[in-house]
Amino acid sequence: MLDVAIRHRLGAFDLAAGFTAAGGVTALFGRSGSGKTTLVNAIAGLLRPDAGRIVIGGVPVFDGAARLFVPKHRRRIGYVFQDARLFPHLNVRQNLAYGRWFAPRGAGDGIGFDAVVEMLGIGHLLARRPAGLSGGETQRVAIGRALLSRPKLLLMDEPLAALDDARKAEILPFLERLRDATTVPVVYVSHSLAEVARLATRVVVMEAGRVVAEGTVGDVLARPGLGARAGRAEAGTLLVASVLSHDAAHGLTTVDSPAGRLIVPGVAGRPGAAVRLHVPARDVMIATGPAPEGLSALNILPGTVAEIGAAAGGSVEVRIACGSGFLLSRVTQFSASRLGLAPGLAVHAIVKSVALAE
Amino acid sequence: MLDVAIRHRLGAFDLAAGFTAAGGVTALFGRSGSGKTTLVNAIAGLLRPDAGRIVIGGVPVFDGAARLFVPKHRRRIGYVFQDARLFPHLNVRQNLAYGRWFAPRGAGDGIGFDAVVEMLGIGHLLARRPAGLSGGETQRVAIGRALLSRPKLLLMDEPLAALDDARKAEILPFLERLRDATTVPVVYVSHSLAEVARLATRVVVMEAGRVVAEGTVGDVLARPGLGARAGRAEAGTLLVASVLSHDAAHGLTTVDSPAGRLIVPGVAGRPGAAVRLHVPARDVMIATGPAPEGLSALNILPGTVAEIGAAAGGSVEVRIACGSGFLLSRVTQFSASRLGLAPGLAVHAIVKSVALAE
Amino acid sequence: MDFLTLTEEERSALLLSLRVSTVATLASLPAGILVAYLLARGRFHGRALLNILVHLPLVLPPVVTGFVLLILFGRRGPIGAFLAEHFGLVFSFRWTGAALAAAVMGFPLMVRAIRLSIEAVDRRIEAAAGTLGASRIAVFLTITLPLILPGILAGAVLGFAKAMGEFGATITFVSNIPGETRTLPAAIYTFTQVPGGDWNAMRLTIISVVVSVAALAISEWLARRVARRIEAG
Amino acid sequence: MDFLTLTEEERSALLLSLRVSTVATLASLPAGILVAYLLARGRFHGRALLNILVHLPLVLPPVVTGFVLLILFGRRGPIGAFLAEHFGLVFSFRWTGAALAAAVMGFPLMVRAIRLSIEAVDRRIEAAAGTLGASRIAVFLTITLPLILPGILAGAVLGFAKAMGEFGATITFVSNIPGETRTLPAAIYTFTQVPGGDWNAMRLTIISVVVSVAALAISEWLARRVARRIEAG
Amino acid sequence: AAPASAQDRPVTVFAAASLKNALDEIGAAYAAEGGVPVVVSYAASSALAKQIESGAPADIFISADLAWMDYLGERNLIRAETRANLLGNRLVLVAPKAEATPVEIGPGLDLAGLVGDGRIAMGEVSSVPAGRYGKAALESLGLWAAIESKVAGAESVRAALLLVSRGEAPYGIVYRTDAAADPEVAIVGTFPEDSHPPIIYPAALTTEVVPAAAGFLAFLRSPKALPAFEAQGFSVLD
Ligand SMILES: Nc1ncnc2c1ncn2[C@@H]1O[C@H](COP(=O)(O)OP(=O)(O)OP(=O)(O)O)[C@@H](O)[C@H]1O
Ligand SMILES: Nc1ncnc2c1ncn2[C@@H]1O[C@H](COP(=O)(O)OP(=O)(O)OP(=O)(O)O)[C@@H](O)[C@H]1O
Ligand SMILES: [Mg+2]
Ligand SMILES: [Mg+2]
C-alpha cells in the first residue's frame, strides 16, 4: 500500500531512507532530528526529494528518475502536522470541515463528523477560532481535521504529544478502531513506545536519516538494543491473543496467547476476537523454584530461560520461552546472578496483570 | 518565593486559581484546557489578570487592587513556551544568548553556555536558524534560551513533550541539579506523572480553571482519585531516602527509606545524601503468606494493609504501612478479593527494583 | 454652511470623482491581487519586467504617464482602437479614461501593499490546505485571500486615495471636460491657476480630504474587524 | 551613444535628483518607521489624526501639497521661519526643499508598507523577547526591526521611486531653478512645455526610469536575501 | 542678500514654461557677450507668482498672461516702472495634418459642425491663459454657445496640441508658436487679433534684485533677443 525509498539533502542533513507498509499502522520511531518529519513531508508531497520513489496504494506519486511528482493536493493524504497548522481565519468547525470540501464525491462517507468531535472532546470549541485554543485543544482539532478529510493515507506526526493521558486513552482506541475498520494505512510518528506498541503493525526505526530497523512490532520491539535506541528501558513483547471469556464483574478478560493463558484488565473484544497485548519487559519478574503463591499478580506462567542479553546500565534482558511464544523480562544484573539465571533454567514469569493491554 | 492568586476571564473560560511555592519545582498538572498555560502567562506578565495578586520572591509584580503591573521584561523570568517561539531571524547561538544581553550585570554567571549546549545536544545547531530545526531541536533550543537568561523564576510549559525519552533522560537530571543547586523556583507544566514525581517538590492540580489539589508531591500523588484526574494509573509513593552504600559492580545503590531498606538501580549520591524515590503504585505487588523467595524483585518489604481505596476501572489502590512509611499499590479488584485483602492483614510489598528512582 | 454649499459644477465634479475613484479601485483590485501574487510567488520569465512595469507610474512624472496612456489607449492608440472596435470600450474624453488613469496611477501602491501581505502569509498553513486536497487556486481562494484581507484593504484605500488626488495623468489623457472628466482634483487645479481662486481651491480640497478620510476610516475599521476575528478565539 | 549623452544641465538635474531622492528617502525613513509603528501599535489620542495627516499628500493634488509646503515652510512661513532662525535650516528654493517635498509625497507610501509589515509580525515572538528581559524599545530594535526589514525595504523603494518621479509639489514649493531645484522630473516637465522638447523629455524619462529600476532591483535583491536568511536553516 | 555675494549671484528669471526654448538661447547669448550668468526657473505662471509672493529669489518675472503680473503688482512685489509687455502671440485653429482644410474664421463659421461628434482641444478655459483667450475669441465671434459642450480643456497648450496631433481631437485652438513646431498638425486658420484680448507676456523686475538684473531685462528687450523670440513664433512687442 505504501512504498517509500528516497534520498534528500537538507544542509548537512542527509536523508536516505525507505520502508514499505501494507496497510495498518506503521510507526516511525527515532530520536529527535533523525529525519522522521522530513520523511513524512516527502510522502505528503510537501518536499520534493532529490531522488527515489514513493508509491501510495499502487500509484506512484513521486519518481525521481521519471520526473514524476504528484502535487500534494492530489495525493489525498490526511496529515496531522507536528506544529498543528490550523487555519487561523476559520473557526474550529470550518477547520474540521475543510478537507471535506475537496474530497471527491465518491470518497464514501468516511468517519462521521459528530463521532470525531465527540471522541476528541472538542464539541464546545466548534465556534471558536484557533488563536485562543490551548496546546492540547489545538492538537485535537488538527487530528480531527486530518481524520475528516477522507484520506487514502494518514500521516500523524506525534499527534498525541501535547495531550494528557486521559485524552490519549480516549483517542488511542479510536485510532485502533480506525486501523481495524478501514484500509487506510497510517504512518505514525511517535516517541512513545507504549503508543507504538499499542497501535503499530510495523515499526520503522530511524537514526540520523537512515532506517536502522524495520519489521513487525513484535520483532522490532523485542530486538535487543532497541531500548537504547528508543532511549528508554521499554522494550517488551507483543502478543496476539484471542479472547476466551470476560469477567464483567471484575472487569477482566481471559485470553489465550502464544505464551499461555493470561488475565487482562478491561473488557475488550468478543470471545474469539484477536487482541494485541504488549508486555513491557520491565513488568515481567522472574521467580525460580516452585510456582509462587499468594501474589497479587494474576499471571504466573511457567517457562524456561532461552537467552540472556548483554548487560546494559546494570540490568539484563532475559528471553523466557513460555508455551509456544516468548516473554521478554528485564531484571537487574544483580538479581540475575543471585537467582543463577542461565539458559535452560526452569522459571516462572510473573506478569503484573495491570501491565498488560497497553 | 512565589505567591499567586488571580482571577481572569477569557471568553467562556474562567480562571480563578492560586498557589504558593517556596522554591524548588512546582508542578502544574491538569488536563488539556484546564488553564495551566493561562496561569503561567499571568505569572510571566504576558497577560494582565482581571484581579488578584502575584508575588515573586517577595516582590509584588501584579496587584489588581493597587493597579500594579510590572511589565514582563522587568520580571526576570525564564519562560519555556509551549510553542517554542524562537526568534526566526537569529541563529541558534543568538537565540540562546538573547536573554544574556538583558540580564543585569550583577546577575551572577548563572549556568554556563557550554554546559547547557552540551546537555541539550544542540552544539551542532549553533549556526543554524530556527526555520530548519526539527520539532525536538526547536524545543531544546527554547529550553536553553530560558535557562541561559539568568532568571529569578523559571516557567516551563511542557518543555519535554516533543522529546524522545533518551533526551528526556539527559535533561531531567540537569533540571534536578538546577533545582537542588540554585534557589531559582521552577513552575513546571507537564502531563507526565513520571516527570512530575521526579522533579516536583509541590504539585498543583488544576481542573477547569480551578486548583483542585495542592501540596507536596508525596501528598498529592498518593491521594486517591488523582489517577483519574491525571488521566492515568500512575499514582505512587514518593519517598525521601538516604544513601547507605553503593554496589558499583552491579550499578546498585542501597538506601534507607521510611518504608524500609531498598535497593535502587543506578549509583546516585554519596553515602548519607538524600535521594528521592518514586514508587509507582502499579509497580508494587502484594504477597500474602510468608515472604516469597526466589523472585527477581530485589525489594520485598513486610507491612500491613492500612487502607483499601474505592474500586475504579477494575482495580483498587491499597495503602500498605511499611516501616514508618507507606507504600501505595494498585492491584486488580479480582486479586484483592482472591487474596482476601483487608485492613490489618499482614502482607509483603514486592517492589520491582527497576521501577524505582524515576 | 455657506462654506460647503457647492455649485452645480462642483457637485458634479465631486460625484464624478467618487465614481472614478470607486470604479478605478474596484476594477483594478482583481488585477492588483493577481499581479501582487505573481510578483510575490511567481518564478517566471518576465517577472522582473512586470515588476518594473507596475512601478512605472510611480516613477514617471504624471504628465508622462498621461502621454503614454494617450498614445496607447487613445482613439488611435493600438490598445484604444482595439478595445473600441471589439468591445465598444472608449476611454478618450470619457470618465472611463479618468478611471483608467486613476487606476494606473494607484496600481503600484495597491500592488505593493497586497504583495507585502502575501509575503507575510505563513506558507506552512497553505501547505496544510494543500494536503487536505485544495488545489493551488483553492488554497489561494480559501486561505491566502482571507489572510491577506488587511493588505487588500490597505491597497484599496491607497488606490482610492490616490485616485481622489490624481490629476496630472488624468488631465493629460482625457482633458478636463466638465461633467465628464473634470474630477475634483482637476477642478482644484483649475482654481489654483487663477488669481483669487485659492478660496475655492481650499473648499474643494477640504471636501476631497473629507471623502478620503471617510474611505480611510472605513478601511481601518474593516481591517480591525478582520484582525480581531483572527486574533481572538 | 548619442542618446544618453547628457548636457551639463541635464547631468546636474540627474545628480540633483539622485541626491534629493536619496536624502528624502533616508531622512524620512526613521520618521516613517516611527509613525508606522505608532499607527500599527499605538493606542493614543490623535492616532486617527496622525493617520489622516500621513495620508494627506496622497489625497491632495500635488500642487496643493506644494502650496501648503510653501505656506508652512517658505521663508515667511511659520515653520520655515522658525527653522531658519533656530537651526539655519532653509528649505525655500533650495535642494533641501525639493528633498522635503519628495519626502512628504513619498511618506504615505513608505508608512503604509512598513505598517503592513509591523502588523504581520508575530506578537508572541515579541512577547517571548519581553520575558527574556528586553524592554519595549529593545524588543523593537532586536526583534521587530529585523523582522520588518522587507517592509522597510519596500517602503524605502516606494519612497525613492516616488521621489524620482515627483515634480508637482516640488516645482510648486521650490520652483524649477537649474542646479538647485531642477530635478529630473522638473526638467522633463519643462521639456514637455515647449515645442520640440519631446525627444529630450523622453531621454530624461528613460534615464529616470533606469535609476528607479536599479533602486528597485537592489531592494528586491536585499529583500530576497533577508527572506532567505529567515527561511532557510 | 550681502552685497558681495549679490555681485556673484547670477540673474534669476522666473518665466512661464512656454518660453523655455527662447530664453535658453537668449541666456546663452547674453553670457557669451560677457553678461552675468542667467538661470531660469520655468513653471506655470501661477506657481511662479505665488513663489515670488512668498519670497523666492527671483529677479525677473515673465508671466504668460497679464493676470498673474497684475497679482504681483497689486501686492507691490514688482517694480511697476520696469513692467513692460515683452511678447505677443496669436491664436490659431489647428487640425491633424492629414485632414486639414483651411477655414475662414469669422462669425459665420460652423465650428460645431466641423468638430462633429469629436472634441475641440484647447487650454482649460478658466485657468490656462490660452484657454481663456480662446474662449474670449469664440465668444466675441458668437461661436461659444454652440461649441461649449464640445470643449476638451487641457492642462496646457502643449497638451491640447498633443490631443490634435494624436488625432484624438479633430480641431484644437493653440498658440501659433506651438502649432508651428508640430509637423503632425496644420494651422487651418488664425483668429482675428481683435477677437480676443491681446495675448501678452509681460516682464518686470521684482523688488529685491541683483543689480545685473536690469541689464538682462534690457537685453531681453533689445534687438539682440529678437531672432530667438521670432524663431519660436512670438511677436515682439514694444
Ligand atoms: N534546511 C535545513 N538545513 C539543514 N538541516 C536541516 C534543514 N531542515 C531540516 N534539517 C535537519 O534535518 C534533521 C531531520 O529533521 P526532522 O524534522 O525530519 O527530524 P525529526 O525526526 O522529525 O525530529 P523531531 O522528533 O525532533 O521532530 C534535523 O536534524 C534538522 O535539523
Ligand atoms: N480568548 C479565549 N476565548 C475563550 N476561551 C479561551 C481563550 N483563550 C483561552 N481560552 C480557553 O481557556 C482554556 C485554558 O487554556 P490554557 O491554554 O490555559 O490550557 P492548558 O491547561 O494550558 O491546556 P493544554 O494542556 O492543552 O495546553 C482553554 O479551554 C482555552 O480554550
Ligand atoms: Mg519531527
Ligand atoms: Mg497549555
Side-chain angles (χ1 to χ4, degrees), chain E:
Chain E
S5 66
Q7 285 302 335
D8 306 331
R9 217 185 79 187
V11 174
T12 304
V13 180
F14 274 28
S18 51
L19 295 171
K20 176 176 166 58
N21 286 350
L23 282 187
D24 279 356
E25 199 179 322
I26 295 168
Y30 185 60
E33 281 202 357
V36 277
V38 175
V39 295
V40 190
S41 176
Y42 301 108
S45 304
S46 57
L48 297 172
K50 288 192 178 148
Q51 286 164 357
I52 291 170
E53 184 184 4
S54 69
D59 302 310
I60 298 173
F61 177 45
I62 309 177
S63 173
D65 63 4
L66 297 169
W68 286 107
M69 188 61 86
D70 294 343
Y71 178 87
L72 291 184
E74 286 160 17
R75 287 163 178 75
N76 294 321
L77 293 165
I78 52 166
R79 297 192 185 174
E81 72 279 11
T82 64
R83 176 171 169 170
N85 292 339
L86 190 61
L87 299 171
N89 210 342
R90 291 296 296 273
L91 219 49
V92 296
L93 185 67
V94 293
K97 188 148 238 163
E99 295 140 33
T101 41
V103 299
E104 184 64 40
I105 295 182
L109 177 65
D110 179 17
L111 190 54
L114 283 176
V115 170
D117 59 1
R119 296 271 176 187
I120 181 161
M122 54 198 286
E124 211 286 319
V125 296
S126 55
S127 59
V128 179
R132 274 207 306 274
Y133 295 130
K135 179 182 173 189
L138 292 171
E139 271 172 347
S140 74
L141 293 172
L143 305 175
W144 176 248
I147 201 76
E148 181 177 5
S149 65
K150 294 182 178 177
V151 167
E155 172 258 349
S156 66
V157 183
R158 300 284 311 155
L161 187 66
L162 182 78
L163 291 173
V164 179
S165 80
R166 288 296 308 165
E168 296 295 327
Y171 288 94
I173 299 174
V174 299
Y175 290 136
R176 186 178 63 200
T177 49
D178 295 288
D182 192 329
E184 298 294 321
V185 303
I187 296 173
V188 295
T190 303
F191 284 85
E193 236 179 328
D194 57 2
S195 67
H196 54 82
I199 301 170
I200 287 171
Y201 287 69
L205 291 184
T206 64
T207 45
E208 292 176 52
V209 293
V210 291
F216 184 63
L217 185 59
F219 187 77
L220 282 174
R221 303 181 63 188
S222 73
K224 291 182 187 151
L226 210 62
F229 284 131
E230 283 181 340
Q232 296 296 321
F234 290 106
S235 45
V236 178
L237 304 176
D238 220 294

Side-chain angles (χ1 to χ4, degrees), chain A residues 20-267:
Chain A
T20 57
V25 174
T26 305
L28 265 187
F29 198 81
R31 296 199 53 175
S32 168
S34 57
K36 307 179 293 295
T37 300
T38 309
L39 189 56
V40 170
N41 278 344
I43 298 172
L46 296 189
L47 173 152
R48 187 180 182 134
D50 296 337
R53 222 175 118 78
I54 301 174
V55 181
I56 300 176
V59 182
V61 293
F62 170 70
D63 191 327
R67 299 177 156 275
L68 170 79
F69 181 77
V70 176
K72 50 186 168 304
H73 66 277
R74 294 234 200 78
R75 296 194 182 184
R76 305 232 12 244
I77 277 170
Y79 188 168
V80 181
F81 296 90
Q82 197 167 5
D83 49 346
R85 305 197 191 182
L86 298 186
F87 305 128
H89 59 299
L90 302 180
N91 67 21
V92 169
R93 182 191 296 282
Q94 290 161 334
N95 264 282
L96 291 171
Y98 189 87
R100 220 161 250 211
W101 301 348
F102 301 103
R105 289 282 152 263
D109 269 352
I111 311 153
F113 186 88
D114 295 337
V116 168
V117 166
E118 160 115 6
M119 181 265 301
L120 295 166
I122 50 180
H124 62 296
L125 304 174
L126 290 177
R128 296 261 305 275
R129 254 160 241 283
L133 300 182
S134 82
E137 288 164 351
T138 304
Q139 199 57 32
R140 282 181 272 160
V141 176
I143 295 173
R145 186 177 67 173
L147 290 179
L148 287 169
S149 69
R150 298 181 196 155
K152 292 204 298 193
L153 171 65
L154 253 181
L155 304 175
M156 310 186 88
D157 198 350
E158 301 194 38
L160 307 184
L163 296 184
D164 54 290
D165 295 312
R167 186 58 68 186
K168 277 186 196 164
E170 283 163 44
I171 297 177
L172 277 173
F174 186 94
L175 295 179
E176 280 177 326
R177 263 177 282 142
L178 187 79
R179 176 194 66 201
D180 298 335
T182 71
T183 57
V184 177
V186 180
V187 176
Y188 191 97
V189 177
S190 176
H191 288 132
S192 160
L193 255 174
E195 275 170 41
V196 169
R198 177 153 175 185
L199 281 177
T201 22
R202 286 177 70 77
V203 177
V204 175
V205 182
M206 295 194 63
E207 209 174 286
R210 302 284 182 283
V211 169
V212 292
E214 183 187 353
T216 65
V217 182
D219 272 6
V220 174
L221 289 192
R223 208 170 287 182
L226 179 68
R229 213 164 261 146
R232 193 169 172 189
E234 256 207 270
T237 316
L238 194 90
L239 299 170
V240 177
S242 63
V243 174
L244 288 178
S245 65
H246 296 302
D247 175 354
H250 290 105
L252 297 175
T253 302
T254 307
V255 302
D256 214 1
S257 87
R261 187 161 299 189
L262 292 167
I263 299 176
V264 184
V267 178

Side-chain angles (χ1 to χ4, degrees), chain A residues 318-337:
Chain A
V318 181
R319 249 157 92 90
I320 306 162
C322 296
S324 64
F326 287 92
L327 282 178
L328 209 59
S329 166
R330 161 165 299 188
V331 300
T332 58
Q333 257 182 289
F334 179 67
S335 298
S337 58

Side-chain angles (χ1 to χ4, degrees), chain C residues 74-75 176 182 190 193-194 198, chain E residues 46 50 68 124 126 153 168:
Chain C
R75 204 180 291 262
N176 187 354
R182 179 176 294 176
T190 304
Q193 295 303 300
V194 286
D198 296 359
Chain E
S46 57
K50 288 192 178 148
W68 286 107
E124 211 286 319
S126 55
E168 296 295 327

